[in-house]
Structures are given as C-alpha cells and as structure tokens.
Amino acid sequence: MEQKVSPSKSALQYGALFGVLMVLEFVIVYVMDFDPITNPEIGIIINLFNYLLFPVSIILIGCQNFKKNLNSGFISFGECLKVGVTICFLAGLIYGIFSATFNMYFPEFVEEILRKTRQVMLKQNPNLTSEQIEMALSISKKFMSPALLIPVTIAMFSFIGLIYSLIIGAFVKNENPHIA
C-alpha cells in the first residue's frame, strides 16, 4: 500500500520563501527610500511582484516540487489547491506579522504614509472635504492596526493563492490512476 504524502511538505518551505521575499522587498524599498505613494511606478512594480509574479511562480514551483519530488509524478487538483493556498496563507501570515510589528516599532512610518496619502488624495481630487479626507484616513489607519492588518493580509493572500492555484492546478494536475 502506498503511503500518502502531505502537500504541506512542499507548501511550507515555499510559503516561508514567499513571505521572506515580500519582507525583503519591503525592507529594500524602505531602506532605499523609494516611495510607492508619491511615485506610482514603484507601487505598480511592487504590486506586480507581490500579487502576480511571486505567487504564480512560487505556487507553480511548489506544485511541481510536490508532483516530481514528493509524490512520484502525480498531483491532484485538490493537492494543487492545498499547496497554493498553504503557500499564500503562510506568506500572508509572515508578511502580516512583519508589517504589524514594523508599524508598532516605527509609528512615524504610519504617520508618514497617512500624510503622503492625504497629499495624494488632495492632489487627485481637490474637491474632497476635510471630513471626507479624515474619514478615509481613519479607515486606512484602522487597517494598519495589528488586529485588522494580520487577518486581512492572510485572507487576501489566501484568496490570491486560491485563484492562482485553480488556474495552475488545471495545467499541472496529473491524477494517479492507481488511487481510486
């Protein structure tokens, strides 16, 4: 009887890699003083990496690793989903905890982001009232608190992992004909 291999063996290492890559990207952007709020091109590049390139490539590599190295060349659609969602869940957990910790230790960073956001909002829509701006900034500040930041980040990346895993799973699945 064949022993069943858990998809988490592949997913955990790649999820940690994905999370660490996002943390490193954040640190590099912070240290190099690139500003994605006032420089939209930087924000587009960061978003492309975090929400497209990293998740797609790492989920694909994680599924291929499970299929070729851990499961004798087979991976079911469900196992692809497990690998992808676990990778992104773990990455979201790591990045959410890092972001919340960073915001707690550097509260001036949050205030600077809110100040720059205010400037961009006024520049893009000068007709906004001060009440509208304050309401938008208060909502943004709430989402930067650890109580919301961590679960929202985890949920967002898990959803991204689900979507990409559905697509990737359709291409890489190879059902084992010996398992009913």
Side-chain angles (χ1 to χ4, degrees):
M1 182 170 157
E2 248 180 70
Q3 187 174 351
K4 192 86 167 132
V5 180
S6 172
S8 65
K9 283 191 174 206
S10 181
L12 293 177
Q13 64 188 9
Y14 289 106
L17 172 68
F18 182 16
V20 168
L21 283 173
M22 288 193 300
V23 168
L24 285 174
E25 177 190 60
F26 177 90
V27 170
I28 290 168
V29 168
Y30 180 74
V31 168
M32 300 293 287
D33 200 27
F34 294 137
D35 188 9
I37 295 174
T38 57
N39 188 352
E41 293 82 19
I42 299 279
I44 290 170
I45 291 168
I46 291 169
N47 287 338
L48 275 174
F49 275 102
N50 288 348
Y51 303 117
L52 183 65
L53 296 175
F54 286 159
V56 168
S57 59
I58 292 174
I59 290 170
L60 182 61
I61 292 168
C63 287
Q64 292 290 8
N65 178 59
F66 178 76
K67 178 180 171 181
K68 294 208 182 332
N69 300 330
L70 301 174
N71 206 30
S72 306
F74 299 106
I75 188 168
S76 68
F77 191 71
E79 289 167 333
C80 286
L81 289 176
K82 288 176 190 175
V83 169
V85 172
T86 303
I87 286 172
C88 289
F89 176 88
L90 185 58
L93 177 67
I94 291 169
Y95 190 67
I97 289 171
F98 169 79
S99 295
T101 305
F102 188 87
N103 291 349
M104 285 182 355
Y105 282 108
F106 299 101
E108 66 275 4
F109 176 74
V110 173
E111 295 305 319
E112 181 69 13
I113 285 180
L114 293 174
R115 185 185 63 74
K116 289 177 183 177
T117 302
R118 176 190 304 272
Q119 290 174 347
V120 169
M121 287 172 65
L122 285 171
K123 183 179 176 186
Q124 289 179 347
N125 192 351
N127 299 330
L128 287 175
T129 65
S130 60
E131 293 83 24
Q132 291 171 323
I133 292 171
E134 290 307 317
M135 184 173 63
L137 292 176
S138 71
I139 291 170
S140 296
K141 192 169 185 170
K142 285 179 186 174
F143 274 99
M144 291 181 181
S145 72
L148 279 177
L149 179 70
I150 295 171
V152 167
T153 303
I154 292 170
M156 180 180 64
F157 277 101
S158 295
F159 181 72
I160 288 168
L162 175 67
I163 299 301
Y164 289 143
S165 296
L166 287 168
I167 296 166
I168 291 168
F171 292 103
V172 301
K173 70 177 175 147
N174 185 18
E175 302 280 344
N176 188 343
H178 302 297
I179 297 178

